[in-house]
Amino acid sequence: GENVEQHPSTLSVQEGDSAVIKCTYSDSASNYFPWYKQELGKRPQLIIDIRSNVGEKKDQRIAVTLNKTAKHFSLHITETQPEDSAVYFCAAGRDSGYSTLTFGKGTMLLVSP
Amino acid sequence: GAVVSQHPSWVICKSGTSVKIECRSLDFQATTMFWYRQFPKQSLMLMATSNEGSKATYEQGVEKDKFLINHASLTLSTLTVTSAHPEDSSFYICSAYLDRGNEQYFGPGTRLTVT
C-alpha cells in the first residue's frame, strides 16, 4: 500500500517568513495530492491540492509543487501570519472517484508575531 | 455546500458499553464515507470505508466486530464502538466525497472518552 512520509514534524517561523513542508510517497500509481490544515480540536480543511498532470499550483500565499519522478511534493506558504499556525497534513491517493487517502504524520506550524 | 456533520461532538461512556457516532452529509449525497481515528498529536488513521447499501471495507488491524459501520442511506453512516475500553478513547472523524470532485470533506469529529 501507499506510504507517505512528511517532514518536518514541527516548524517554527517568524511572521512574514516562508514555510516549506515536504512529503514523499511510495505508490507510483498515486496521482492526487491534497493538503489539509487542522486547527486544534477542529476538522481538517482542504487548503490546496494538486494532480499529477501539473507540476505546480498556486493559490494566493499557498503553493504546492509536485515531482512525480522523485515521488515528492511540497507545500509552500509565503508571508506567514499567526493565523497560519496549525497542523498541516499531506496526503496521497488515486484520482479515480472514491479512492482512499493515505495521510502523512503532520507538521505543526507555529508562526510567531 | 459540502457540509458534513457528526453527532455527538463528544461523549463519555463507561467501559463495556457501546457508543454510536453518526456522520451525515447535509447538502449532498455520499455513496462513500470514510471513518478515521486520530490520537492526540498524531495523524489521521483510516479505519474503514463505508459504502451505501453494502458492507464496509475495513483497514488491516481494525476489528470489524468491534467497530460496526452501517451506511443505510446516501446521507448517513454510523460507527458503533462496541464494548468500549479506555484504549478506544480517541477522536473519531468521518469524511465524504462530493461526487463532482475528489475532495474529501471532513466532519467536525467526535471525541470519545471511555472511563
Side-chain angles (χ1 to χ4, degrees):
Chain A
E2 176 65 275
N3 182 47
V4 177
E5 299 284 339
Q6 183 172 348
H7 298 282
S9 56
T10 59
L11 179 58
S12 295
V13 300
Q14 290 291 118
E15 184 177 1
D17 288 349
S18 294
V20 180
I21 303 170
K22 298 182 179 182
C23 289
T24 60
Y25 62 99
S26 61
D27 187 352
S28 57
S30 291
N31 54 10
Y32 175 60
F33 308 94
W35 286 87
Y36 287 87
K37 175 183 180 182
Q38 186 179 29
E39 297 177 6
L40 187 63
K42 297 188 176 180
R43 76 185 82 195
Q45 300 265 20
L46 178 71
I47 56 171
I48 196 168
D49 58 15
I50 191 167
R51 289 173 169 81
S52 60
N53 56 339
V54 298
E56 183 173 356
K57 185 176 178 180
K58 192 172 182 179
D59 182 4
Q60 298 183 332
R61 297 187 295 108
I62 295 173
V64 58
T65 58
L66 171 65
N67 183 328
K68 279 221 71 169
T69 303
K71 295 199 191 75
H72 66 70
F73 55 112
S74 301
L75 177 71
H76 304 252
I77 305 174
T78 58
E79 300 173 31
T80 53
Q81 300 166 4
E83 50 265 39
D84 293 331
S85 297
V87 178
Y88 291 81
F89 292 98
C90 64
R94 299 187 188 183
D95 188 10
S96 58
Y98 307 111
S99 65
T100 60
L101 291 174
T102 301
F103 285 82
K105 291 187 185 299
T107 296
M108 178 174 288
L109 174 64
L110 299 171
V111 181
S112 303
Chain B
V3 178
V4 178
S5 71
Q6 274 183 249
H7 178 80
S9 55
W10 60 271
V11 57
I12 301 172
C13 70
K14 291 187 176 180
S15 190
T17 60
S18 295
V19 174
K20 180 185 284 188
I21 303 170
E22 294 185 347
C23 176
R24 293 182 186 272
S25 55
L26 297 185
D27 52 0
F28 66 102
Q29 293 183 334
T31 55
T32 300
M33 292 183 174
F34 300 93
W35 285 97
Y36 294 85
R37 185 173 179 175
Q38 187 176 33
F39 290 107
K41 298 184 180 181
Q42 294 194 24
S43 189
L44 295 147
M45 300 301 297
L46 179 65
M47 298 175 66
T49 302
S50 173
N51 304 297
E52 187 268 334
S54 64
K55 292 182 179 180
T57 304
Y58 289 82
E59 295 299 300
Q60 193 171 9
V62 177
E63 300 176 59
K64 59 182 180 182
D65 294 331
K66 179 169 184 61
F67 298 100
L68 301 178
I69 292 172
N70 184 18
H71 195 150
S73 77
L74 287 172
T75 59
L76 173 65
S77 175
T78 61
L79 168 68
T80 302
V81 182
T82 63
S83 187
H85 288 100
E87 55 265 31
D88 298 325
S89 299
S90 188
F91 195 50
Y92 293 87
I93 310 179
C94 69
S95 71
Y97 271 118
L98 186 59
D99 285 354
R100 63 172 180 264
N102 291 93
E103 302 167 14
Q104 282 192 32
Y105 291 87
F106 285 86
T110 297
R111 185 160 302 283
L112 170 63
T113 302
V114 184
T115 60

